[in-house]
Amino acid sequence: MRGGFKLIAVVLVIAGGVVNGSQLKGDYSKLSGIIIPGFASTQLRAWSILDCPFSPLDFNPLDLVWLDTTKCLSAMNCWLKCMMLDPYNQTDHSECKSRPDSGLSAITELDPGYITGPLSSVWKEWIKWCIEFGIEANAILAVPYDWRLSPSKLEERDLYFHKLKVTFEIALKHRGGPSIVFAHSLGNNVFRYFLEWLKLEISPKRYIQWLDDHIHAYFAVGAPLLGSVQTVEATLSGSTFGLPIPEGTARLMFNSFGSSLWMSPFSEHCTSEKVYSKHFSGGRRKKHSVYQCDDLEYRLNYSGFPTNIINIEIPSVVAEAYPSFGDKMQANLSNMECGVPTQLSFSAREIADGTFFKAIEDYDPDSKRLLHQLDKLYHNDPVINPLTPWERPPLKNIFCIYGVDSRTEVGYYFAPSGKPYPDNWIMTDVVYEFEGSLYTRSGNLIEGNPGAASGDETVPYNSLSYCKNWLGSKVNITRTPQSEHEGEDVQVHLDVEHHPGADIIPNMTRSPRVKYITYYEDSESLPGQRTAVWELDKANHRNIVRSPILMRELWLEMWHDIHPDKKSKFVTKGKRGPLRDEDCYWDYGKARCAWPEYCEYRYVFGDVHLGQSCRVRSSSADLLLSYV
């Protein structure tokens, strides 16, 4: 949420086969890919004419709306008309409508410019990496979408999932091979919905065959598999996405989006009725509970999360939802001060099933709107209730990747602010998970169920690591430094037992000065399918897709997969040498370029320091042979 909740899915295309002038083995030309940008990470453009009074900046068709910071600051009311949706039917404002941009330019930079460009860069570094490794321009297909909409509205209004299916089929026809799916954050939820939608779109006999033909591997990066707690903060007090706008305004805008609840936390122990039974019954169903929860939900505290997500003070006297200034408002505030508020706590299940919003319905006008969205757009979704735990997608290769060991918000304390809506709640405290403990913003330790690690600053660890349930009973674990290394600090444990529903905690050493990657790999439990989980130390949720470490590992894994002479199921971790000029640097202690076997001093006009003149040797493709 904070810093922009990235709903991004990418299907990367590895084409070409030439690195630094050296020909590599393997047919790269058949692999193809699709980029599906994420929450607040796609440009939205105006699709109407809007005259903004008291401002020289009007909105005309194709003008940038998200993100044009100039118009956001100088004509905020007009900008909000182009951004907000009707909370009940998800239609555009009567005076302005916005639609997602198309092509790669829609996802590289949200606000292009000399000043704001680097700050709003999304996939620019990724595209640069692809170009550097010889990927053809027509091999990367971007499929942007309106990230404000719920999944059912994406299909209803824009036929988005039909278009996504056609994009996969075009990629197969054009390139002759399957695609690689790379999903970041909420993009994983979009891809999950697509897979469930596809079940109802094609015959059951063709479903698995379609997946095998069109998708080679799925990379789930920073996936909020059980939701993100920061959604609660944006719902009650607003998240500004780094924009200079009031939090109340940000709350109004966020709660108008049908996608706001898509990221809500939910319990892994509760499921809802299968969509297939609804179809078989012809839609004639008796009333039923939204969720069916197992015994663990009621025996364990906090729905599997480290602590209660919401702790909120409810005033003893019901104040008006829209108090006016004057004597009447002062009387309401006086009553609130004299009454003793009631402290209530809510778990992930109570947020997902609407219990929390019903509890504050008399104190907050947004609750009615959110309850409507929750019931219509999620609990009664025609494809799947997105607020239910995942099963492993039936794909041949799945890589679940996320950052760990960063301070991450897992709970909040709210109280009435005494101000009118939308600023009627104030956050009084925050609960963080970090280094195996829970503590508040003021530094006080609290009791709860902290995990073995902490999350990635945005998504809690238990939500990120839920994909470990997709691993089988025997898992190989490898821990290596993230930086280039010769294998001196590589730790390997083979055939580690993994019990269903339990976390895997490796018994491995750790240097406090080194950032590691821990790989959990299983290629035996499910015949013909591979599952891997990568944990990257200190990898930030927002920036992980721009991490050169991630891009290096992804490249090596895909290069390994298409190589005809590969000897192992996964790429070897014994060595990591430089692959690009940026990986070479000057070793001042030895007065030469580091990694002399692969890097050499080669000055090019414009270099300003020795490190820039260290470049990969032309024979560096030989290094890749050690990863087969």
Side-chain angles (χ1 to χ4, degrees), residues 253-287:
M253 181 177 69
F254 181 78
N255 287 346
S256 76
F257 301 159
S259 62
S260 62
L261 292 170
W262 205 352
M263 301 168 277
S264 294
F266 55 89
S267 172
E268 64 180 289
H269 305 297
C270 299
T271 58
S272 63
E273 183 180 359
K274 296 291 185 181
V275 171
Y276 307 105
S277 63
K278 299 179 185 178
H279 287 278
F280 294 148
S281 64
R284 296 184 299 271
R285 298 176 288 117
K286 296 180 179 180
K287 289 186 177 180

Side-chain angles (χ1 to χ4, degrees), residues 144-318:
Y145 67 97
D146 195 331
W147 42 267
R148 302 171 298 172
L149 297 176
S150 66
S152 59
K153 289 295 182 180
L154 277 175
E155 180 62 20
E156 178 184 324
R157 195 193 75 178
D158 298 338
L159 293 178
Y160 178 76
F161 296 106
H162 270 95
K163 294 177 182 177
L164 183 56
K165 176 177 177 288
V166 170
T167 304
F168 275 105
E169 293 169 348
I170 290 174
L172 175 62
K173 190 175 184 65
H174 188 196
R175 312 291 298 179
S179 300
I180 301 167
V181 179
F182 185 96
H184 175 249
S185 192
L186 186 62
N188 295 280
N189 299 28
V190 172
F191 184 63
R192 176 203 186 186
Y193 191 92
F194 168 72
L195 295 179
E196 296 293 333
W197 171 87
L198 194 64
K199 284 183 184 179
L200 304 175
E201 181 67 18
I202 62 179
S203 64
K205 293 182 179 180
R206 293 183 53 235
Y207 178 65
I208 298 299
Q209 187 60 49
W210 192 98
L211 295 180
D212 291 343
D213 291 342
H214 293 83
I215 301 174
H216 170 71
Y218 166 39
F219 285 81
V221 179
L225 300 175
L226 298 176
S228 173
V229 173
Q230 287 192 1
T231 307
V232 175
E233 176 192 6
T235 300
L236 289 184
S237 61
S239 178
T240 64
F241 307 98
L243 295 174
I245 59 177
E247 288 188 344
T249 301
R251 183 192 180 196
L252 284 170
M253 181 177 69
F254 181 78
N255 287 346
S256 76
F257 301 159
S259 62
S260 62
L261 292 170
W262 205 352
M263 301 168 277
S264 294
F266 55 89
S267 172
E268 64 180 289
H269 305 297
C270 299
T271 58
S272 63
E273 183 180 359
K274 296 291 185 181
V275 171
Y276 307 105
S277 63
K278 299 179 185 178
H279 287 278
F280 294 148
S281 64
R284 296 184 299 271
R285 298 176 288 117
K286 296 180 179 180
K287 289 186 177 180
H288 65 283
S289 60
V290 173
Y291 288 107
Q292 295 84 44
C293 302
D294 57 31
D295 293 338
L296 278 176
E297 171 64 25
Y298 302 103
R299 284 195 280 119
L300 298 177
N301 293 327
Y302 320 125
S303 294
F305 278 72
T307 184
N308 282 321
I309 294 173
I310 299 178
N311 303 275
I312 190 167
E313 290 184 5
I314 301 297
S316 58
V317 177
V318 178

Side-chain angles (χ1 to χ4, degrees), residues 481-503:
Q482 293 183 16
S483 59
E484 287 76 18
H485 61 86
E486 292 281 7
E488 64 279 357
D489 192 17
V490 176
Q491 305 168 65
V492 181
H493 289 175
L494 301 178
D495 295 330
V496 177
E497 289 190 6
H498 173 225
H499 301 286
D503 194 4

Side-chain angles (χ1 to χ4, degrees), residues 437-450:
S437 61
L438 302 174
Y439 62 91
T440 63
R441 185 164 53 187
S442 54
N444 297 323
L445 291 174
I446 66 171
E447 295 183 357
N449 299 322

